[in-house]
Amino acid sequence: MPPLRWLLPFVVTGLVLSGVPAVAAPTETAAWQPKPAPLSTPWTAQVNPANALPEYPRPQLARPDWQNLNGVWEFAPAAAGAAPPFGQTLAQSILVPFPIESALSGIAAHSDRMWYRRTFTVPAAWSGRSVRLNFGAVDWMAEVWVNGVRVGSHTGGYGKFSFDITARLAAGANELIVGVFAPVDAGGQPVGKQRRSPGGIFYTAASGIWQTVWLEPTPSNHVTRLDITPDVPGARVRVIVRAASGTATVTVRTGPTVIGRGSGPANTEIAVPVPGARLWSPDDPFLYDLDVTLTGRDAVTSYFGMRSVGKAVQDGVLRPVLNGRFVFQVGTLDQGYWPDGIYTAPTDAALRFDLQAHKDLGFNTVRKHIKVEPDRWFYWADRLGLLVWQDMPSMPTGRNPDAAARANFETELRELVDAHRSVTSIVQWVPFNEGWGVYDPARIADLVKSWDPSRLVDNNSGSNCCGFDGGNGDTVDDHIYVGPGSPQRPSATRVAQLGEYGGLGLRVAGHEWSPGNGFGYEMVPNGQVLTDRYVSLIAGVARLVPRTGLSAAIYTQLTDVENEANGLYTYDRAVLKVDVAAVRAANRALLTGARVLPAAPLPVGSRISLRVTTPGFTDRYARHQNGLGFTEHVDAASTALLKADATWRVVAGLADPTCYSFESVNFPGQYLRHANSRLRKDPNDGSDLYRRDATWCSRPGLAGGNISLDAVDFPGKFLRHFNAELWLAANGGPNPYESAANFPADVTWNIAPPWTPAPGEVGGPTAGPQPRPVGQHVRRDGWCPGSRC
């Protein structure tokens, strides 16, 4: 990125533009019509000029009088060096607040620089009060004129801003012009996943006005911001009322019942008692009402939840705690993109839908991935009860930001924290992701923590993959695809979390952004397999909670996004790809510490043979030969060597004692393990990798009855026979040995008596091995009858 000197002409003289031909002022504006989108959502057809996001946009600082300026504006690309188009009719119509590249905007094209124009009339009832012009967000630089006079500018694509326009108003109609500069990834500013040429994991740009624009009357001295910090140990809430001056009174209530009240000067902390507080949590997202008056003139309403966020050692492991209690955080990566509105959800109901979907699927957490949502999104997260990890949108990848870009990044980062410090649901700030635009991660983490010590800070999510771990902050955060793998353990100062894993892909015909081109980190053939794989991954996550001290896991992802087909929902939100009951049950089991998947116990210390159950091959057994795993016909006449090769001693799992490992009886100390997906019999080299590769978790057989064995470090991948070879395979994966044909039967094994018994045991089968008697159960020291084993 070149130095930010190119911004100065924009700020000082207006829009200095290049590469766009001048647009002559037309005499008539084309009527607004939405453009066709590759996909529509259930809410697309509900959008029209009369109801473009009509809800009050700022729930935590609300006033009763306001005027929504969303709707049809005039629009035109801007020309190099052009003056603002005062008094001119622009050629096109755009539906604000949808970004210009979106179908709902009616433009569906990118311009680096652009003009917006409309007129408005101030209600007569507002006479005697100041009038403020508010913007939820404009990407990226905005300059604003009212009645031909410049009233201000703002830099930053994700922050709200406002101007006092009282002195510029006229009786009757007033002209409003907004000029915007949005270079997307051609600049060096924070853009998240926006790209001028989208593809892969990067998406269509979202330029211009993309959140609500509105007017409201205020006293000249008025509340500009509320900083609300719940203090659970102190049984109080601490509030700073931001204003030029005056005395503020803060009242906490629930409905008509007043809970507490406090007063003090503006810009100083006012402590209001909240005795016997009902604490906010995902299971009980209770919110208190908050009323604020300033010197008897300005009055605003707000809300908050009483909750605390921190870290504590529990059972010898550093954990994140909510209200002093460890709550495992299970959520999804939520990109916040829409096929019709890109950055802007088509309706408030659509905005709520994604968060309600998390709740319906049993999640308690959402990671808002390198995007910042409108205030109403956070309102729904607060109200529905979700723990939010808030990412800072990243600067473009593959660049080392210069001093000017870094200064701008830190300004926008501070704006993010200040604007959302009162949000109840946010429990963690994530300033960097995977090293994209990263610099000084340790310093930045400390800086964010100094701004807001009430929440956790992750210095770089996915530092394991990219070598940009600042070594500080409150978390150590790994990304492992498909995972969950073996994330880093917590330290004395940092909790361990899996910031991304999963990415299981499934294309759904008729619901694809680009038919046939969607991808995932592992493609599956249908919704049942996707459900089973997801549940298996959650079972793997559950094993890591006690084994490695894992405290949080974020699955990629809630919905498909453009060419990423790895959502639990399709991109249009029309199809839920998984069984909601099964996913919810798995997530809730993880949260409550219950077993995610039923176990099929094996006789630890005993010898067994593993018999194939696929029809037509039931005379074959798992054996090793020259170090590799195969299946082969075995009977009473087989050689002693073959019988020994097909016999295994069951031991407690080398990597997880709740699972199992299989030791060769004729090569003691050598175990059945996977390496590059092929099954082998190798000596135990003592490494952590070997122990994981040689550990298998026993599940009820996928084909019904008997058992299936999934890898402890690759949950949902099973021990399979294919063309007489043994493989670690997923159902419908990309390799020939992962063919979906016969998969359930091929990964289902009968636990048969050993072909080579231990000394003193009864000899092996003579008429073929017998299945375990119905009604008998297994305990760790061998077979036992009854139901108490």
Side-chain angles (χ1 to χ4, degrees), residues 169-186:
L169 296 174
N174 293 271
E175 181 187 55
L176 170 60
I177 290 177
V178 181
V180 180
F181 174 42
V184 197
D185 54 319

Side-chain angles (χ1 to χ4, degrees), residues 236-253:
R236 60 184 183 170
V237 60
R238 296 183 282 114
V239 181
I240 299 176
V241 179
R242 304 290 182 180
S245 62
T247 299
T249 299
V250 180
T251 302
V252 174
R253 59 181 173 81

Side-chain angles (χ1 to χ4, degrees), residues 334-694:
D334 185 356
Q335 314 265 14
Y337 275 76
W338 299 84
D340 47 10
I342 307 180
Y343 254 25
T344 308
T347 68
D348 192 60
L351 193 71
R352 183 186 193 274
F353 176 88
D354 282 2
L355 293 168
Q356 184 63 58
H358 281 86
K359 299 293 288 189
D360 295 343
L361 289 163
F363 295 103
N364 68 358
T365 302
V366 53
R367 179 181 172 198
K368 179 47 62 178
H369 192 40
I370 52 180
K371 182 199 175 188
V372 185
E373 293 286 2
D375 287 354
R376 289 196 62 83
W377 186 92
F378 294 98
Y379 164 74
W380 287 119
D382 292 344
R383 182 171 173 180
L384 295 174
L386 284 160
L387 305 174
V388 173
W389 299 8
Q390 179 58 57
D391 288 14
M392 174 64 190
S394 64
M395 293 179 285
T397 57
R399 304 183 194 176
N400 181 22
D402 64 16
R406 295 181 183 196
N408 177 73
F409 178 84
E410 291 175 38
T411 297
E412 292 196 42
L413 177 60
R414 179 62 186 264
E415 186 175 61
L416 166 67
V417 173
D418 284 346
H420 298 89
R421 61 173 61 250
S422 297
V423 174
T424 299
S425 51
I426 296 177
V427 297
Q428 185 175 146
W429 301 113
V430 185
F432 292 115
N433 177 76
E434 293 186 354
W436 299 357
V438 72
Y439 68 96
D440 300 344
R443 181 180 67 82
I444 295 298
D446 286 342
L447 192 62
V448 174
K449 193 71 172 182
S450 72
W451 295 337
D452 181 12
S454 72
R455 294 177 173 92
L456 304 187
V457 177
D458 178 357
N459 84 77
N460 184 27
S461 184
S463 57
N464 67 309
C465 70
C466 311
F468 291 100
D469 185 358
N472 66 334
D474 297 301
T475 69
V476 54
D477 182 324
D478 288 351
H479 292 180
I480 302 175
Y481 285 104
V482 169
S486 185
Q488 298 176 71
R489 297 174 182 271
S491 69
T493 58
R494 299 202 290 175
V495 301
Q497 60 189 34
L498 192 54
E500 294 180 28
Y501 79 103
L504 303 173
L506 173 63
R507 302 186 190 102
V508 179
H511 301 273
E512 299 174 82
W513 176 262
S514 178
N517 295 319
F519 69 93
Y521 293 98
E522 175 189 308
M523 301 301 292
V524 298
N526 55 57
Q528 184 59 57
V529 173
L530 178 60
T531 300
D532 292 343
R533 278 290 280 131
Y534 177 83
V535 172
S536 294
L537 293 182
I538 289 295
V541 169
R543 292 197 291 265
L544 296 172
V545 178
R547 182 159 67 89
T548 70
L550 186 69
S551 290
I554 301 297
Y555 178 82
T556 301
Q557 58 188 323
L558 178 67
T559 73
D560 296 349
V561 184
E562 300 197 357
N563 277 336
E564 291 189 33
N566 51 11
L568 300 175
Y569 277 88
T570 53
Y571 191 22
D572 55 10
R573 278 74 166 176
V575 178
L576 176 60
K577 303 179 190 179
V578 293
D579 182 325
V580 62
V583 169
R584 178 178 176 83
N587 287 336
R588 300 310 297 178
L590 172 62
L591 291 173
T592 60
R595 187 180 292 275
V596 175
L597 283 173
L602 298 177
V604 171
S606 299
R607 296 186 180 193
I608 63 167
S609 291
L610 294 169
R611 182 173 66 88
V612 172
T613 66
T614 306
F617 300 93
T618 56
D619 61 345
R620 302 180 74 87
Y621 294 79
R623 59 107 28 126
H624 60 82
Q625 183 179 38
N626 297 324
L628 292 176
F630 297 92
T631 65
E632 190 164 335
H633 169 79
V634 187
D635 61 24
S638 297
T639 66
L641 176 61
L642 174 56
K643 291 179 179 179
D645 287 350
T647 302
W648 309 89
R649 188 172 76 91
V650 181
V651 302
L654 299 180
D656 186 337
T658 66
C659 297
Y660 304 94
S661 294
F662 300 97
E663 184 181 24
S664 169
V665 299
N666 52 347
F667 289 91
Q670 300 194 31
Y671 294 85
L672 186 66
R673 57 87 61 100
H674 60 86
N676 296 322
S677 296
R678 189 70 164 90
L679 269 290
R680 305 180 52 84
K681 181 263 313 162
D682 283 339
N684 184 356
D685 63 10
S687 68
D688 185 55
L689 176 63
Y690 179 95
R691 288 192 295 269
R692 296 197 308 270
D693 288 352

Side-chain angles (χ1 to χ4, degrees), residues 115-187:
W115 297 118
Y116 291 80
R117 180 180 180 272
R118 67 160 289 161
T119 60
F120 64 90
T121 302
V122 176
W126 293 6
S127 178
R129 288 182 282 178
S130 298
V131 176
R132 298 201 68 84
L133 172 63
N134 302 301
F135 293 82
V138 179
D139 194 333
W140 170 62
M141 290 186 64
E143 193 164 10
V144 181
W145 293 263
V146 173
N147 293 328
V149 178
R150 181 180 181 275
V151 296
S153 65
H154 178 265
T155 300
Y158 303 91
K160 60 176 75 79
F161 57 97
S162 68
F163 307 113
D164 185 339
I165 61 172
T166 312
R168 307 306 173 197
L169 296 174
N174 293 271
E175 181 187 55
L176 170 60
I177 290 177
V178 181
V180 180
F181 174 42
V184 197
D185 54 319

